[in-house]
Amino acid sequence: MRDAGITEQHKDILAELANIGTGNAATALSQMLDHEKILLEVPEVNISPLQHVPESLGDPGQKIAAIMMEAACDELELTILLALPLPATLSLIDQLLPEGLEPLGEMGRSLLMELGNILTGSYLNALSDMTGLTFTLSPPGLGLDMAGALLGSVIADKAMLEDSFILIKTTMHILSREVEGNLLLLPSAGSLHKILARLGAQ
Amino acid sequence: MGKKTVLVVDDTAFMRMTLKNILEKNGYSVIGEGEDGLQAIELYKELNPSLVTMDITMPNLDGIKAIEEIIKHDAGAVIIVVSAMGQKALVIDALNAGAKDFVVKPFQPERITEALQKVSRG
């Protein structure tokens, strides 16, 4: 057993969720990029104590782009945060934008949020299929800052989070670039075990 | 025959630009753009477009509630949903609210024009 009663079976179930969500995300990205071949490596899933969030991506001083949304259904709520390394992400956004538009201009930021919306939707659709729950999603919020500061402020702003969070990490190979994608699932208090129970945990 | 007029509703400027480009290349005239459900209702009443593309997840008022309000105002409104939220129950909710079709993001441009042609004929 791990913190918060997390077992190996729970981790297996979440790994399956991550595999399906990542497959959906790869398909979505490929469609977004006009059927460009996208390779997403097998995701790594970890459940860690909440206080480890700020350093969960490694170097807390690295600059990231984070797209955050709140998902909710009748039974539970969770915060979903997609964190991408800033330099590789801006380079990708630059390539996707029509010529003459700045990656950090209004349209670039909007594209980044839409990318976050679509990738997050891919995982949430997998979670919905596997749990039978229907989630609503808040509009995305975008943050650009150092990983430690940005992630630290997210958990400081949330009053009632579970003691543990889920991190799904994968490397995306897109348009000759390697982009590390990190999806943090931060369930509200009491929601983690409801998700696991819905996913079939004993 | 004049061009069909379209109201595009999505909270992200990039998606509105993408949809507008696809629609105008295919002979439609985008006469309005809304950023949320409230703007969608106001713009629909003001502009009376032939067709609407509607996102679901938006601030202030979501797309499904906006569809319900638009249909109350005009039972013949022709609305297609364009959303990343492809969960079955949400698709059913959107169709029950009065949407004529549901396109899951991301999409190929042809999927949008096919949906609009299908509902226009319908």
Side-chain angles (χ1 to χ4, degrees):
Chain A
M1 296 279 279
R2 298 269 312 265
D3 287 346
I6 300 301
T7 65
E8 286 305 312
Q9 186 211 25
H10 293 151
K11 287 188 74 176
D12 281 350
I13 289 170
L14 291 172
E16 183 58 17
L17 169 69
N19 277 329
I20 294 171
T22 302
N24 289 353
T27 306
L29 270 176
S30 174
Q31 282 182 23
M32 225 179 152
L33 301 175
D34 203 16
H35 295 300
E36 185 74 26
K37 189 176 169 192
I38 307 288
L39 180 68
L40 270 65
E41 292 182 6
V42 176
E44 187 185 312
V45 183
N46 281 300
I47 304 174
S48 307
L50 189 65
Q51 64 265 31
H52 292 179
V53 164
E55 65 268 20
S56 58
L57 307 187
D59 176 12
Q62 68 169 309
K63 284 216 158 191
I64 59 165
I67 300 108
M68 193 174 83
M69 286 171 250
E70 308 288 338
C73 65
D74 292 341
E75 294 180 25
L76 54 95
E77 290 175 14
L78 75 159
T79 299
I80 305 179
L81 192 144
L82 176 71
L84 304 165
L86 194 57
T89 304
L90 290 184
S91 158
L92 179 65
I93 293 294
D94 193 34
Q95 190 162 347
L96 294 177
L97 278 176
E99 212 167 308
L101 294 174
E102 290 294 318
L104 282 178
E106 189 206 351
M107 209 51 82
R109 285 169 183 261
S110 175
L111 170 55
L112 197 46
M113 286 200 279
E114 193 57 41
L115 187 69
N117 192 21
I118 288 171
L119 291 180
T120 305
S122 301
Y123 283 92
L124 208 57
N125 291 341
L127 186 61
S128 174
D129 285 345
M130 290 174 74
T131 59
L133 296 169
T134 300
F135 293 91
T136 56
L137 197 59
S138 72
L142 174 66
L144 304 171
D145 205 340
M146 285 189 284
L150 205 155
L151 298 178
S153 70
V154 168
I155 55 169
D157 286 348
K158 301 277 164 202
M160 293 289 285
L161 284 176
E162 195 78 72
D163 292 336
S164 304
F165 74 103
I166 301 161
L167 174 63
I168 300 172
K169 194 178 274 227
T170 185
T171 302
M172 305 182 276
H173 299 267
I174 310 169
L175 299 172
S176 314
R177 288 177 183 77
E178 265 191 22
V179 182
E180 188 185 82
N182 301 280
L183 192 78
L184 286 83
L185 304 176
L186 304 158
S188 295
S191 292
L192 178 58
H193 283 276
K194 286 182 188 163
I195 294 172
L196 290 167
R198 279 284 193 160
L199 288 169
Q202 302 293 314
Chain B
M1 204 171 80
K3 286 182 176 181
K4 292 229 182 237
T5 56
V6 186
L7 168 63
V8 172
V9 185
D10 198 293
D11 60 327
T12 60
F14 178 77
M15 188 50 66
R16 293 198 302 276
M17 180 185 77
T18 303
L19 285 166
K20 188 175 178 181
N21 288 343
I22 293 170
L23 292 166
E24 294 195 335
K25 269 186 202 157
N26 285 279
Y28 294 88
S29 172
V30 174
I31 55 168
E33 295 180 34
E35 296 180 19
D36 62 36
L38 293 177
Q39 284 188 12
I41 298 164
E42 278 173 28
L43 288 168
Y44 187 88
K45 289 177 179 172
E46 184 188 326
L47 303 171
N48 194 27
S50 324
L51 304 157
V52 181
T53 71
M54 181 79 77
D55 190 14
I56 289 185
T57 303
M58 294 185 291
N60 302 322
L61 188 75
D62 70 48
I64 291 179
K65 291 196 183 82
I67 293 170
E68 287 169 353
E69 289 303 313
I70 291 172
I71 294 289
K72 269 187 214 163
H73 166 77
D74 175 6
V78 180
I79 305 169
I80 65 163
V81 171
V82 182
S83 170
M85 300 285 283
Q87 301 164 63
K88 201 181 290 176
L90 284 181
V91 176
I92 292 168
D93 284 351
L95 297 176
N96 284 342
K100 299 286 190 287
D101 202 351
F102 197 108
V103 177
V104 179
K105 293 177 190 172
F107 47 76
Q108 292 301 299
E110 308 81 70
R111 178 69 188 93
I112 296 292
T113 50
E114 278 165 16
L116 289 175
Q117 281 162 10
K118 189 180 85 180
V119 299
S120 298
R121 281 197 302 269

